[in-house]
């Protein structure tokens, strides 16, 4: 019933709706004709999309820093090239999300400096536990991230799969990459690090907290 | 479904109409009454548009409607009615089909939302601000100018705050339109892109010039915006304003620069606004000079920051080089 009334008022046109009183922010204009993310139709959709993009950007930024930390310690060891390869893929992800953020005018999370340091410290300290420690950290983080991407994919599919096709494509592709990293980590003896279970769960708890915080702040 | 909606709407409009006819004095705002006022206002509007009465004063239109309602009473279909006083008006429940179709040149769904009506009233009220200040009286005068009852100020729970926020929002929209137009011209190659500092300077000046007609009363408006219940809204307007200005200036940063740039521009904008309030120079020239200086300060700070960062990096490189040299000299770098 409410929807029918709402669609009636659309006849009058968006320009008038912009003048609306209830401090609804006027439609923000973007200068790009085509973008991966569709222009939000109302403030709820905008809020949802911006949260998704903000937290994904923060996640890729953090993953980037984790690999940087691991490379700083293990860069010259035998596992160096593998970590470098995974790091390069994360860099591609980060570049893509940075581009999407800029064109959709999404506010980046204010916690970025914090993730910068925390990610590097996590990567470096897990690498200090040796090659297996670094792989265990990779497994834990990639598992968190792929679970998170999956829940985003589910949410977007529930909303409107046709509207978000390109965005879904991007997220699916990145999720597949993350799962590949996860499997690579397992292949390289991640589970043989002492205290694997506690390390993995601690890191995953931290990731969950980071995701929660980045969505809001 | 749509017809039922219309009938219900008109039914409640008529209840409101009944109360407007009987007691045109201002009444304490309560939601059903405000709905009634809104509907009554709509009906008055529709009737005045449809019938084009010789005089446009609200009272004569009201009486006109009242008589028409009486005469049309006989053909009343059974519209749901609870209030006996709305009996004559209830007649009109059967009219919506005919009256909407009768309005020549306008389609059947000539439907204005409450927000649009409020926006129209507030825009009209802006003319009366030099006279009444940023107050509910100005809103009442604006409503009367549109041919509505001055009691429609009951729609505005926030009173003068609604007026100020509406004006600020309107100014922001105008600025966004101007900036988008300039952006299009640059895209089309019809205009040269401006340097960032100059662009921001022009944008802030354009935006502040919109306050010039109301500059006498602007301190009152600013103090209204600073009231605790208005602060979230006024901050939201300010942040979207600054975000828009930076977006059109070309900022696409996605790191802490996003925050520092906007914080800097917010500071510049707010201080320039305050200076403008006390400026008595011709055409506010002192204000624009102040704005120039502040923007120059920020530009200098940004340049200095870059220099410091570059120096810092160089120093770190030097230290690493020194450490590696030491390790080589002492032989610690040998691989086993």
């Amino acid at each position: 019933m409410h929807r029918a009334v709402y669609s009636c008022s659309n006849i009058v046109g968006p320009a008038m709706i912009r003048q609306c009183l209830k401090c609804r922010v006027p439609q923000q204009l973007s200068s790009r004709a085509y973008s991966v993310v569709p222009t939000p139709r109302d403030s709820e959709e905008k809020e949802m999309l911006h949260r998704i993009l903000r937290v994904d950007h923060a996640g890729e930024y953090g993953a980037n820093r984790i690999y940087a930390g691991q490379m700083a310690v293990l860069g010259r060891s035998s596992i160096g090239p593998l970590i470098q390869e995974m790091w390069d893929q994360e860099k591609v992800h980060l570049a893509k999300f940075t581009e999407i953020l800029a064109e959709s005018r999404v506010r980046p999370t204010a916690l970025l400096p914090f993730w910068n340091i925390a990610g590097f410290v996590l990567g470096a300290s897990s690498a200090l536990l040796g090659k297996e420690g670094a792989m265990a950290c990779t497994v834990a983080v990639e598992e968190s991230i792929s679970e998170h991407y999956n829940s985003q994919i589910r949410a977007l599919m529930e909303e409107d799969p046709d509207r978000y096709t390109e965005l879904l494509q991007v997220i699916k592709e990145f999720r597949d990459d993350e799962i590949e990293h996860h499997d690579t980590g397992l292949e390289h003896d991640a589970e043989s690090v002492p205290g694997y279970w506690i390390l993995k769960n601690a890191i995953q708890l931290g990731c969950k907290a980071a995701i929660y915080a980045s969505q809001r702040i | 479904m749509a017809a039922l909606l219309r009938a219900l709407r008109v039914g409640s409009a008529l209840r409101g109409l009944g109360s407007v006819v009987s007691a045109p004095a201002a009444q304490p705002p309560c939601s059903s009454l405000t709905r009634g006022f809104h509907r009554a206002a709509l009906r008055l509007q529709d009737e005045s548009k449809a019938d084009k009465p010789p005089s446009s004063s609200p009272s004569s239109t009201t009486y006109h409607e009242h008589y028409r309602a009486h005469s049309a009473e006989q053909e009343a279909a059974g519209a749901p009615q609870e209030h006996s006083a709305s009996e004559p008006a209830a007649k009109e429940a059967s009219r919506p089909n005919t009256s909407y179709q009768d309005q020549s040149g306008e389609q059947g769904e000539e439907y204005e939302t409450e927000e649009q009506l409020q926006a129209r009233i507030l825009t009209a009220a802006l003319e009366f601000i030099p006279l009444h200040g940023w107050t509910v009286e100005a809103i009442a005068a604006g409503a009367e100018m549109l041919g509505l009852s001055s009691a429609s100020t009951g729609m505005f729970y926030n009173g003068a705050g609604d007026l100020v926020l509406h004006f600020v929002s309107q100014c922001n929209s105008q600025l966004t339109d101007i900036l988008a137009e300039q952006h299009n011209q640059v895209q089309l190659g019809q205009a040269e892109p401006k340097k960032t500092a100059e662009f921001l300077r022009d944008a802030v000046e354009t935006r502040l010039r919109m306050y010039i007609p109301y500059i006498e009363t602007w301190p009152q408006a600013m103090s209204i915006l600073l009231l605790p219940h208005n602060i979230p809204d006024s901050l939201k307007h300010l942040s979207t304003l600054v975000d828009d200005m930076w977006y059109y200036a070309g900022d696409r940063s996605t790191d802490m620069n996003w925050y520092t740039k906007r914080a800097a521009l917010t500071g510049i904008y707010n201080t320039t606004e305050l200076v403008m309030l006390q400026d008595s120079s011709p055409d506010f020239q002192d204000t624009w000079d102040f704005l120039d200086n502040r923007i120059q300060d920020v530009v200098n700070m940004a340049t200095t920051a870059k220099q410091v960062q570059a120096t810092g990096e160089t120093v770190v490189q030097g230290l690493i080089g020194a450490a590696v040299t030491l390790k080589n000299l002492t032989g610690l770098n040998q691989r086993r």
Side-chain angles (χ1 to χ4, degrees), chain A residues 133-153:
Chain A
M135 289 296 120
C137 171
T138 302
V139 164
V141 170
E142 301 294 3
E143 193 177 311
S144 276
I145 289 190
S146 35
E147 233 180 82
H148 169 67
Y149 277 153
N150 273 336
S151 67
Q152 284 186 345
I153 291 171

Side-chain angles (χ1 to χ4, degrees), chain B residues 13 21 25 29 47 52 74 80 100 112 205 208 219 225 231 263 294 313 326:
Chain B
V21 167
E47 289 306 311
K52 299 194 187 55
Q74 270 58 46
Y100 278 105
E112 187 187 35
E205 183 181 337
L208 286 177
L225 284 177
I231 285 186
R294 294 293 74 70
E313 275 169 13
L326 254 154

Side-chain angles (χ1 to χ4, degrees), chain A residues 145-177:
Chain A
I145 289 190
S146 35
E147 233 180 82
H148 169 67
Y149 277 153
N150 273 336
S151 67
Q152 284 186 345
I153 291 171
R154 269 193 293 272
L156 288 174
M157 297 279 268
E158 265 173 32
E159 277 289 320
D160 190 346
D162 298 315
R163 192 166 153 74
Y164 303 118
T165 349
E166 290 107 353
L167 180 60
L168 275 170
Q169 210 173 338
V170 168
I171 299 182
K172 280 180 189 166
E173 197 189 312
F174 290 1
R175 179 212 46 194
D176 294 340
D177 286 342

Side-chain angles (χ1 to χ4, degrees), chain A:
Chain A
M1 160 91 97
H2 176 72
R3 273 225 154 240
V5 175
Y6 183 77
S7 54
C8 284
S9 67
N10 273 347
I11 292 172
V12 202
M16 291 236 223
I17 295 180
R18 269 204 257 154
Q19 302 263 331
C20 112
L21 183 66
K22 304 279 192 280
C23 196
R24 220 172 286 153
V25 173
Q27 279 205 335
Q28 292 198 310
L29 303 170
S30 162
S31 56
R32 283 210 26 177
Y34 164 77
S35 62
V36 169
V37 178
T39 317
R41 281 182 289 223
D42 52 38
S43 59
E44 287 137 20
E45 188 187 353
K46 177 169 170 243
E47 187 59 37
M48 179 197 76
L49 281 174
H50 282 207
R51 273 193 182 180
I52 288 179
L53 295 171
R54 184 176 312 133
V55 73
D56 286 349
H57 175 255
E60 295 299 344
Y61 184 80
N64 215 15
R65 296 304 294 155
I66 291 176
Y67 282 121
Q70 289 185 347
M71 277 303 283
V73 175
L74 290 172
R76 271 172 291 193
S77 71
S78 57
I79 198 85
L82 180 65
I83 299 180
Q84 181 67 47
E85 190 193 319
M86 292 200 284
W87 190 14
D88 290 336
Q89 280 181 318
E90 297 295 349
K91 284 185 192 158
V92 168
H93 292 185
L94 181 62
K96 182 68 183 166
F97 275 122
T98 304
E99 185 193 321
I100 295 178
L101 240 69
E103 76 191 11
S104 306
R105 301 181 61 175
V106 180
R107 172 180 68 88
T109 170
L111 296 169
L112 280 178
F114 187 63
W115 301 145
N116 186 356
I117 300 174
F120 192 87
V121 164
L122 175 62
S125 47
S126 65
L128 285 172
L129 293 173
K131 161 180 156 246
E132 292 80 17
M135 289 296 120
C137 171
T138 302
V139 164
V141 170
E142 301 294 3
E143 193 177 311
S144 276
I145 289 190
S146 35
E147 233 180 82
H148 169 67
Y149 277 153
N150 273 336
S151 67
Q152 284 186 345
I153 291 171
R154 269 193 293 272
L156 288 174
M157 297 279 268
E158 265 173 32
E159 277 289 320
D160 190 346
D162 298 315
R163 192 166 153 74
Y164 303 118
T165 349
E166 290 107 353
L167 180 60
L168 275 170
Q169 210 173 338
V170 168
I171 299 182
K172 280 180 189 166
E173 197 189 312
F174 290 1
R175 179 212 46 194
D176 294 340
D177 286 342
E178 308 294 359
I179 291 184
E180 199 191 311
H181 291 177
H182 172 262
D183 296 339
T184 309
L186 283 176
E187 278 166 30
H188 286 85
D189 309 322
E191 283 156 335
S192 61
V193 70
Y196 173 72
W197 187 89
I198 198 163
L199 186 65
K200 178 163 178 257
N201 280 305
I203 293 176
Q204 289 193 326
L205 192 64
C207 285
K208 281 205 186 68
I211 288 172
Y212 182 85
S214 293
Q215 274 175 337
R216 285 157 185 79
I217 306 181

Side-chain angles (χ1 to χ4, degrees), chain B residues 154-200:
Chain B
M155 267 201 279
F156 301 102
Y157 300 119
N158 203 4
D162 279 339
L163 183 56
V164 181
L165 288 171
H166 169 81
F167 177 62
V168 168
S169 167
Q170 199 178 48
C171 289
N172 288 352
S173 304
Q174 279 173 8
L175 180 71
T176 309
D177 289 338
I178 293 173
L179 293 180
E181 181 55 40
Q182 283 178 6
H183 184 86
N184 281 344
Q185 297 215 314
V186 169
Q187 299 277 47
L188 292 171
Q190 287 166 5
E192 287 298 314
K194 294 187 206 168
K195 291 173 59 88
T196 311
E198 194 193 326
F199 182 92
L200 291 176

